[in-house]
């Protein structure tokens, strides 16, 4: 395909600058996001009970619901709850008080908590993914990053378009290292392009939906959007309380009824995941059950029924729902990889790591394109770019592994004085800051080599911390059939091997790589040799 | 470069809103049925418009064209909404 040189030049500049601005944040988002794919498995992994953790029963959940409604009158108006099961081993209720503040309760803590219990590590990794761990503003920042990411994708494809087909499977190793990095960057970018486009769009949507709706409301929705959204997105219309008292039905009845209603609509396997109960104790109490149906792209569907009688009010199930619910359910499922089976999650994990590589290699290409080939001394911008790339990108890999280890160690009785969430966050961000500082002080190639070893060692320690603290060594997990726990420990070992391999490759480059580069070991010595022949 | 970038961000935003509005409101059925699809489509269209705005020869042209197109699309949307020909 022929593209004018003017267009190519403009889009190359655009690609370079949006890549520079968004690349670091995207590396963190993709590395943390690849791990967040296993969000639910992580919650089991960080549980102190190890392989002895058992899913709670529906009876446990019923007791919690009864107690929540009895103890907290605010919850009778509106309360949410997760069904105990594979997704959430421990059930919990949640409701908001008159001030809009959320409260949570579990069977261990029926009096109520201010934050969702038991998710310190998975919440931290998730927060790094969608906000870099920055409260409030971080989400909007990542929304803007998603838009820049979209521009980087469009401009990247345009630049590459003239050679896209002929170079697709070309990976040319050899003396021209820039050629090889460019080939790797292009092939991963092109092959995972559909996934990247999907993430750029759904990422922007998830982060900026409120702002976009506020801005679009007067422009295209005649200021009626905010009143229309509720009725459009609710499964059933809101029903006012009747003012007559009536005892509510049981969780077991709701579960049975929702499965039966789904079957009536041709859905063979409906697995209730969570519920929303409104006006408990009233004759018009309603319950909305959300659950997964296998074999649908947007697997989450919902069923609304009278909470006392189980009479069906409305449904939004795969195969029979309106455009809003079908689109939103699919967009969510596509972003979070929550469709298909476990293979889809592993595919997302691999594509996520591939995405992280894309942004890392982009930074390397920026440095390489500006390399001064005939002198040892390189520009300051290139030097600091190398330091920032090493410190931020390899640093976050170390920091996340440190957070995994800290999560286990802080559950030791000896360290129980430190609040888990606080301790894990401090460990993570301190490790990240130290890595960045290290990269700022050392020659870039040494910093890369050392931090890769740090990443390898900390990642390799993850299964040991897990085994020592909870007794769930990977072989006992496997023998007990807890494949999620086994997969996280085994995955950590595989990642540690990967980091060690990268560290060895980096060491080879340190010994025998191009001397005139920011990645050269000792520019001082080379400078001296170049200056020597002066008369 | 910057002038064209901002042309894509400001009038480009209004143009994208106008295009998405025209399309989602012109579809059969009530407009409330396309809220989610419209918001998602908006981000796709806006990204495309921002990228396309770099194709203008200079910033002044980009601002002029995108502003004019934004005014036309939003004007058409509001007129059709006011006439109740779409909705």
């Amino acid at each position: 395909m022929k593209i004018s040189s003017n267009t190519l030049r403009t889009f190359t500049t655009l690609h370079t600058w949006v890549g520079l601005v968004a690349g670091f944040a995207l590396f963190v988002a993709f590395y943390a996001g690849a791990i967040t794919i296993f969000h639910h498995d992580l919650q089991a992994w960080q549980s102190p009970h190890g392989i002895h953790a058992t899913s709670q029963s529906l009876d446990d959940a019923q007791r919690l619901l009864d107690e929540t409604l009895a103890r907290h009158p605010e919850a009778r108006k509106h309360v949410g709850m997760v069904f105990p099961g594979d997704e959430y081993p421990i059930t919990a209720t949640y409701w908001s008080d008159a001030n809009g503040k959320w409260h949570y309760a579990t069977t261990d803590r029926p009096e109520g908590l201010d934050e969702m219990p038991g998710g310190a590590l998975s919440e931290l990794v998730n927060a790094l993914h969608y906000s870099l761990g920055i409260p409030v503003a971080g989400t909007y920042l990542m929304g803007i990053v998603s838009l820049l990411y979209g521009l980087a994708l469009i401009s990247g494809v345009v630049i590459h378009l003239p050679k896209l087909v002929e170079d697709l499977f070309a990976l040319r190793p050899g003396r021209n290292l820039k050629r090889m990095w460019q080939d790797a960057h292009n092939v991963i970018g092109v092959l995972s392009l559909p996934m990247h486009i999907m993430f750029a769009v759904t990422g922007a949507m998830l982060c900026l939906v409120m702002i976009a709706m506020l801005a679009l409301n007067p422009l295209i929705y005649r200021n009626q959007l905010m009143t229309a959204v509720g009725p459009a997105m609710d499964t059933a219309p809101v029903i006012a309380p009747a003012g007559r008292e009536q005892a509510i039905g049981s969780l077991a009845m709701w579960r049975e009824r929702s499965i039966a209603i789904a079957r009536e609509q041709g859905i063979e396997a409906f697995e209730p995941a969570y519920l929303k109960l409104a006006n408990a104790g009233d004759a018009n109490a309603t319950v909305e059950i959300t659950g997964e149906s296998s074999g649908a792209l947007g697997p989450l569907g919902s069923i609304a029924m009278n909470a006392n009688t189980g009479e069906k009010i409305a449904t939004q199930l795969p195969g029979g729902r309106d455009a809003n619910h079908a689109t939103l359910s699919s967009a969510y499922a596509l972003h979070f990889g929550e469709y298909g089976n476990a293979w889809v999650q592993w595919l997302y994990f691999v594509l996520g790591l591939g995405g992280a590589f894309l942004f890392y290699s982009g930074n390397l290409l920026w440095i390489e394109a500006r390399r001064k080939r005939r002198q040892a001394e390189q520009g300051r911008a290139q030097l600091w770019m190398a330091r920032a790339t090493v410190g931020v990108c390899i640093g976050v890999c170390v920091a996340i592994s440190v957070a995994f280890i800290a999560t286990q160690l802080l559950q030791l009785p000896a360290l129980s004085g430190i609040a888990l969430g606080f301790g894990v966050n401090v460990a993570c961000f301190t490790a990240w800051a130290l890595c960045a500082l290290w990269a700022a002080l050392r020659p870039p190639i040494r910093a890369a080599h050392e931090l890769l070893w740090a990443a390898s060692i900390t990642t390799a320690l993850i299964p040991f911390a897990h085994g020592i603290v909870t007794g769930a060594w990977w072989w006992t997990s496997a023998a007990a059939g807890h494949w999620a726990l086994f997969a996280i420990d085994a995955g950590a070992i595989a990642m540690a091997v990967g980091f060690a391999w990268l560290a060895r490759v980096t060491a080879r480059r340190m010994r025998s790589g191009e001397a005139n580069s920011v990645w050269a070991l000792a520019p001082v010595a080379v400078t001296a040799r170049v200056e020597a022949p002066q008369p | 470069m910057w002038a064209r970038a901002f042309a894509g961000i400001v009038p480009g935003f209004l143009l994208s809103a106008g295009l998405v509005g025209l399309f989602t409101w012109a579809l059969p059925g009530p407009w409330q049925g396309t809220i989610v699809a419209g918001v998602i489509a908006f981000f796709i269209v806006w990204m495309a418009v921002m990228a396309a705005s770099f194709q203008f020869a200079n910033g002044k042209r980009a601002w002029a064209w995108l502003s004019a197109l934004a005014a036309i699309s939003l004007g058409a949307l509001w007129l059709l909404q006011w006439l109740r020909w779409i909705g």
Side-chain angles (χ1 to χ4, degrees), chain A residues 169-243:
Chain A
F169 292 109
L171 182 68
R172 286 159 285 195
R175 283 200 55 79
N176 188 347
L177 270 179
K178 174 157 186 288
R179 179 82 261 161
M180 192 199 72
W181 281 102
Q182 184 81 62
D183 284 341
H185 184 80
N186 290 347
V187 72
I188 290 187
V190 171
L191 292 184
S192 48
L193 187 63
M195 182 207 70
H196 282 291
I197 294 172
M198 180 275 289
F199 277 142
V201 174
T202 54
M205 191 248 325
L206 289 167
C207 292
L208 298 176
V209 68
M210 280 320 292
I211 291 182
M213 280 171 51
L214 285 174
L216 295 179
N217 186 23
L219 286 174
I220 57 181
Y221 295 112
R222 317 191 84 182
N223 281 322
Q224 292 165 12
L225 184 59
M226 298 308 161
T227 42
V229 160
M233 299 316 297
D234 284 340
T235 304
V238 177
I239 298 171

Side-chain angles (χ1 to χ4, degrees), chain A residues 65-81:
Chain A
L65 181 62
D66 293 343
E67 191 142 4
T68 303
L69 293 174
R71 279 182 184 234
H72 308 283
E74 296 142 327
R76 281 174 222 159
K77 195 158 178 291
H78 211 280
V79 65
M81 178 172 207

Side-chain angles (χ1 to χ4, degrees), chain A residues 106-332:
Chain A
T106 60
T107 43
D108 294 342
R109 305 290 298 275
E111 74 279 6
L113 298 156
D114 288 343
E115 55 183 50
M116 191 73 173
L121 178 64
S122 51
E123 283 311 311
L124 169 66
V125 179
N126 192 24
L128 282 174
H129 167 64
Y130 71 79
S131 68
L132 305 177
I134 305 165
V136 191
T139 313
Y140 300 122
L141 177 74
M142 289 313 282
I144 295 166
V145 165
S146 299
L147 292 172
L148 295 175
Y149 171 34
L151 286 179
L153 291 175
I154 299 173
S155 54
V157 170
V158 170
I159 304 167
H160 191 40
L161 213 48
K163 289 192 165 180
L164 192 142
V165 176
E166 59 184 285
D167 276 7
L168 184 55
F169 292 109
L171 182 68
R172 286 159 285 195
R175 283 200 55 79
N176 188 347
L177 270 179
K178 174 157 186 288
R179 179 82 261 161
M180 192 199 72
W181 281 102
Q182 184 81 62
D183 284 341
H185 184 80
N186 290 347
V187 72
I188 290 187
V190 171
L191 292 184
S192 48
L193 187 63
M195 182 207 70
H196 282 291
I197 294 172
M198 180 275 289
F199 277 142
V201 174
T202 54
M205 191 248 325
L206 289 167
C207 292
L208 298 176
V209 68
M210 280 320 292
I211 291 182
M213 280 171 51
L214 285 174
L216 295 179
N217 186 23
L219 286 174
I220 57 181
Y221 295 112
R222 317 191 84 182
N223 281 322
Q224 292 165 12
L225 184 59
M226 298 308 161
T227 42
V229 160
M233 299 316 297
D234 284 340
T235 304
V238 177
I239 298 171
R244 281 176 286 117
E245 278 186 29
Q246 193 175 340
I248 58 164
S250 67
L251 279 172
M253 184 270 273
W254 297 336
R255 188 172 188 282
E256 210 170 288
R257 278 291 296 150
S258 60
I259 292 171
I261 292 168
R263 187 160 296 144
E264 279 168 24
Q265 301 202 5
I267 290 161
E268 284 306 313
F270 180 83
E271 186 54 48
Y274 56 91
L275 65 85
K276 283 189 261 179
L277 174 64
N279 301 319
D282 187 87
N284 279 353
T286 53
V287 64
E288 185 183 316
I289 314 278
T290 304
E292 268 188 42
S293 334
S294 53
L297 175 57
L300 282 183
S302 53
I303 295 163
M305 63 178 100
N306 183 302
N308 309 322
T309 61
E311 186 195 346
K312 181 175 92 174
I313 301 171
T315 61
Q316 288 288 349
L317 291 167
R321 55 188 165 192
D322 60 38
N324 283 326
H325 284 87
T327 323
L328 192 65
S329 182
S330 306
Y332 265 84

Side-chain angles (χ1 to χ4, degrees), chain B residues 1-39:
Chain B
M1 206 76 186
W2 279 109
R4 283 179 288 174
F6 280 111
I9 294 169
V10 183
F13 181 94
L14 300 172
L15 170 61
S16 311
L19 292 176
V20 169
L22 276 175
F23 190 75
T24 54
W25 279 68
L27 286 172
W31 64 270
Q32 289 92 336
T34 58
I35 292 175
V36 176
V39 170

